[in-house]
Amino acid sequence: MKRLLAFVLSFFFTLPVFMLVYPRIPSIEIPVGTGIRLDQMILFMFIFLLLYFLIYSLKKYYLYISITLVLAIGLSHFTGLYSLQRFSADYLSLLTNLEKVSESSKFVTKTVPFTREELLREAIDYNNPELIDFARNIATKHFQEYKALSKDSRWIQYFSIFKEIENKWIYMYDPLYEEFFSKASNTAKQLSYNNKFKGDCDDYSIIIAACIRAVGGEVRLVRTNVLLDDGRTVGHLYPEVKIGDKKDFENVAYLLRNLLFPKEIKNKPLRYFLDNKGEVWLNFDYNDHFPGGRYQSNIRISELKV
């Protein structure tokens, strides 16, 4: 009976302890099929066995141990250190990852110098006071009710920026035979005309990059070539935003799919680029109406970190 009680108590308290410790250990994945996450299984079993032997060895104090653990969970919730809402979101994030609802895209990477870098950097005027005010306003326009469920509050701000700009974007060609880069601060002012932004892929990437930088994010621009249906190849520029490592992306994937863009994403995968440091860069192109939409091409000609 005492072993059974120790087993039940250990199982009950293993999950909250697991959710607290899990983000702080490195990922261990076996490249079999879609991947087998060893870190999750090993950590869960280690915590369970540790709690079991600890509780069973102190079986005379079952009641005190239970009360102490419950009080610890309650204190964590009411002080905001780790709320039950956040616990629920983290747990569902873990399940979202296990369902493999995201996709690390494979690319053909070329080492070509980034063209027109100086002009682009000049157009990405993220330190312009008017642009900073604009970025802060649109970064807090959407999704604020989910801020507490995000491990990093800036993620919610990035997605609010995406929603505001992508939803109001109208594609416009540059002057014939010329390439024009609209400053982000100028593109932001276009809202005063008809509540729409206008420009081509360069202008879209510029204002996304400027707004993300203005609220403390990391972003880069990627040049690629896109093969059209008529056989022609055209150049394209798009932004990617740094999220963090794969464990950070679990939380992001849950938020995007279930709370922020559920109608837009539905059963589509979230697409991202995993760099050689294990960092996730989420696609912020306008191909789909959600962050992590499809890439127009798997070719990465050159990259520019803003």
Side-chain angles (χ1 to χ4, degrees):
M1 183 63 182
K2 291 181 179 180
R3 289 184 180 275
L4 178 61
L5 183 57
F7 181 90
V8 172
L9 289 174
S10 301
F11 187 82
F12 179 77
F13 291 113
T14 292
L15 190 56
V17 175
F18 172 86
M19 298 307 300
L20 281 171
V21 178
Y22 172 66
R24 295 166 175 80
I25 66 168
S27 298
I28 305 174
E29 185 171 335
I30 300 177
V32 176
T34 57
I36 300 175
R37 292 291 298 276
L38 282 181
D39 54 320
Q40 297 165 349
M41 294 184 288
I42 293 174
L43 180 62
F44 190 91
M45 289 303 300
F46 175 78
I47 294 173
F48 172 77
L49 292 174
L50 181 64
L51 286 176
Y52 174 80
F53 287 114
L54 178 63
I55 292 174
Y56 184 73
S57 63
L58 299 174
K59 49 185 174 290
K60 293 182 180 179
Y61 306 101
Y62 278 159
L63 180 60
Y64 300 107
I65 293 174
S66 300
I67 293 175
T68 300
L69 291 173
V70 169
L71 287 175
I73 293 173
L75 182 64
S76 177
H77 170 72
F78 289 110
T79 59
L81 179 63
Y82 195 69
S83 68
L84 295 178
Q85 286 180 318
R86 173 70 182 280
F87 168 78
S88 176
D90 286 349
Y91 174 70
L92 292 173
S93 299
L94 180 62
L95 294 183
T96 297
N97 177 68
L98 294 176
E99 291 171 1
K100 300 297 180 184
V101 294
S102 60
E103 179 179 299
S104 176
S105 299
K106 306 299 182 183
F107 292 92
V108 176
T109 303
K110 301 182 179 180
T111 56
V112 178
F114 202 95
T115 59
R116 300 178 183 267
E117 177 179 344
E118 186 176 344
L119 291 175
L120 276 168
R121 289 194 182 278
E122 183 180 351
I124 305 171
D125 55 345
Y126 63 88
N127 53 3
N128 180 304
E130 292 183 357
L131 189 282
I132 291 175
D133 288 342
F134 170 78
R136 289 174 174 175
N137 286 329
I138 66 173
T140 54
K141 185 173 183 178
H142 307 283
F143 313 134
Q144 288 302 292
E145 64 272 27
Y146 302 116
K147 183 178 178 180
L149 303 183
S150 177
K151 292 180 181 178
D152 189 330
S153 61
R154 291 175 298 178
W155 295 341
I156 295 295
Q157 295 169 8
Y158 303 161
F159 303 144
S160 180
I161 288 171
F162 175 91
K163 182 178 179 67
E164 186 67 11
I165 294 177
E166 193 277 334
N167 282 358
K168 295 181 179 179
W169 192 262
I170 297 178
Y171 188 92
M172 301 288 293
Y173 288 96
D174 283 341
L176 191 61
Y177 307 126
E178 295 183 21
E179 189 168 32
F180 171 73
F181 296 149
S182 175
K183 283 191 174 183
S185 55
N186 290 335
T187 301
K189 294 176 183 177
Q190 294 176 0
L191 285 180
S192 62
Y193 294 98
N194 59 354
N195 201 35
K196 296 291 183 181
F197 303 101
K198 306 95 179 171
D200 62 2
C201 61
D202 298 327
D203 303 320
Y204 171 84
S205 298
I206 287 168
I207 191 171
I208 286 285
C211 288
I212 296 296
R213 278 299 309 272
V215 299
E218 293 186 57
V219 61
R220 63 185 177 190
L221 306 184
V222 182
R223 285 202 183 280
T224 185
N225 284 331
V226 179
L227 180 63
L228 303 180
D229 293 337
D230 60 8
R232 292 183 298 122
T233 299
V234 297
H236 180 58
L237 184 72
Y238 64 90
E240 287 180 334
V241 176
K242 183 179 175 180
I243 296 300
D245 59 22
K246 279 191 174 181
K247 291 187 177 181
D248 293 324
F249 187 63
E250 291 172 6
N251 185 225
V252 166
Y254 166 73
L255 292 171
L256 290 174
R257 298 190 68 85
N258 297 282
L259 302 176
L260 309 185
F261 296 90
K263 294 181 180 179
E264 294 86 350
I265 297 177
K266 294 183 180 178
N267 296 320
K268 300 175 184 177
L270 296 172
R271 294 178 172 89
Y272 63 91
F273 174 71
L274 189 67
D275 67 19
N276 55 13
K277 295 181 180 179
E279 300 288 352
V280 171
W281 294 79
L282 192 62
N283 184 22
F284 262 53
D285 205 351
Y286 50 45
N287 302 315
D288 291 311
H289 300 298
F290 60 89
R294 60 185 173 84
Y295 286 98
Q296 290 196 38
S297 171
N298 70 335
I299 298 174
R300 301 174 75 89
I301 297 176
S302 54
E303 301 173 356
L304 174 64
K305 187 173 182 181
V306 179

